[in-house]
Amino acid sequence: MADTIDIPKIGAVKKTQVMAVGGIAGGIILFAFWRSRSAAVDDAPVEEVLPEDPFQGLTDSGLGGSVGGYSSSSSGSTSDTQTSAPRTNAEWSQLASEKLAASYEPAAIDGALGRYLGRQPLTTLDQTIVRAAIARAGYPPEGTYTVITGGDSDIKVAPTGLKAVAASATAVDLTWALVAGASRYRIYRSGSRDNVGTSMDGTAQVGGLQPNVSYTFQVAAETAAGKVGPKSSAVSARTKSVVLKVPTGVKVSKITRSGATVSWTKVPNATIYRLYVDGVAHGAAEAPPYAVGGLTANKSHKVTVAADATGQSPSKQSAAATFKTLK
């Protein structure tokens, strides 16, 4: 084998020299290719890989659920950014109460929000609570409301136009004109030292009365701060009369030498029952049973019962129950 290679225009060249030159050329070509690839990689955009959000895909219920229609965090506290907007005034009141619970007494919050939604005059404390509620929970979603001042002022005017009408044998309906600055009204009835009830508006019904009895009524306005104004002029009304039914089911038990125990069925609207022994009045009772005494031993007796009520005529006497005292 020849140790040389005949290259045109050059002549005979040793093989070792040709191989050396070829190796160098190949290295230069490989280096150039590597440089071009590196430059392409350096110029390509780099995608930043962010850490995966551990809370991605979790619903409100997965983070602690919701209470009363409002979403909450896992710790149980309600943040402003997580709370859904209330859809009713009741939901608004609940949300506002929750947000203000750490700053005010629950009764003060309920009273202030109730008077605000009722468009009533507010005390200074009420106004502070309402403005704080609006700041934390927004305005009520139903209707338009304004902060009405004057809840701390005295009321010097008595309600006018008071009317009383019998509603039944045991109740009377009252109506009157509203007083500016009043948060509620106190109702007074004859026969009672203190007020017998309150009303948030100009109407009320007084119950627990006796049939066919005349009662006198007055009302007085009261502020949110508890200041009571003068009483109105007095008006009277008589409850309706009733026809009392005759008691039934008269029975005698526990008979002794001088007496016995009498029982019967109660009658609607009756407030007292009158007993008769042998046709003679023998006491009264508010309800059965009743013990009669002072009777003659070893003698037969007849007992009857009549229902009665204040201002009413007693009912007819019941059928007689007969018994004989012991010897």
Side-chain angles (χ1 to χ4, degrees), residues 79-287:
S79 65
D80 292 342
T81 57
Q82 292 176 327
T83 304
S84 59
R87 294 165 296 179
T88 65
N89 287 352
E91 290 182 356
W92 176 83
S93 296
Q94 179 184 345
L95 176 61
S97 297
E98 292 174 356
K99 290 181 175 296
L100 300 179
S103 303
Y104 303 96
E105 293 293 329
I109 297 174
D110 292 343
L113 299 184
R115 285 184 282 273
Y116 172 62
L117 294 176
R119 295 183 171 88
Q120 299 175 3
L122 306 180
T123 65
T124 301
L125 177 59
D126 288 344
Q127 296 171 42
T128 301
I129 293 175
V130 168
R131 291 190 174 99
I134 294 173
R136 298 297 305 278
Y139 286 94
E142 299 175 308
T144 301
Y145 300 87
T146 58
V147 175
I148 303 175
T149 62
D152 297 304
S153 303
D154 293 333
I155 293 181
K156 300 180 180 180
V157 179
T160 59
L162 178 62
K163 296 179 181 179
V165 178
S168 67
T170 58
V172 170
D173 289 334
L174 303 177
T175 59
W176 61 90
L178 300 180
V179 175
S183 177
R184 64 177 185 172
Y185 299 86
R186 294 192 181 191
I187 303 166
Y188 301 89
R189 172 180 60 78
S190 57
S192 180
R193 292 182 56 186
D194 300 322
N195 63 297
V196 294
T198 59
S199 172
M200 303 301 290
D201 53 26
T203 63
Q205 184 176 93
V206 181
L209 307 179
Q210 298 296 329
N212 197 30
V213 174
S214 180
Y215 294 91
T216 301
F217 302 92
Q218 291 177 286
V219 295
E222 182 179 357
T223 67
K227 297 180 180 180
V228 182
K231 294 180 181 179
S232 68
S233 299
V235 297
S236 298
R238 179 179 292 275
T239 52
K240 295 181 179 181
S241 61
V242 294
V243 177
L244 296 173
K245 294 183 178 181
V246 177
T248 58
V250 179
K251 297 180 181 179
V252 179
S253 62
K254 300 180 181 179
I255 302 172
T256 66
R257 297 183 69 255
S258 60
T261 298
V262 183
S263 60
W264 60 93
T265 302
K266 288 185 177 181
V267 173
N269 297 315
T271 58
I272 195 169
Y273 298 89
R274 304 190 183 281
L275 285 86
Y276 302 85
V277 177
D278 299 329
V280 179
H282 205 289
E286 293 182 353

Side-chain angles (χ1 to χ4, degrees), residues 5-13:
I5 298 175
D6 186 23
I7 299 176
K9 296 183 180 182
I10 295 178
V13 180

Side-chain angles (χ1 to χ4, degrees), residues 6-38:
D6 186 23
I7 299 176
K9 296 183 180 182
I10 295 178
V13 180
K14 291 184 178 181
K15 289 182 178 181
T16 56
Q17 293 177 343
V18 173
M19 293 176 63
V21 172
I24 293 172
I28 292 173
I29 292 171
L30 290 174
F31 178 77
F33 177 78
W34 175 81
R35 288 282 299 176
S36 64
R37 292 292 294 172
S38 297

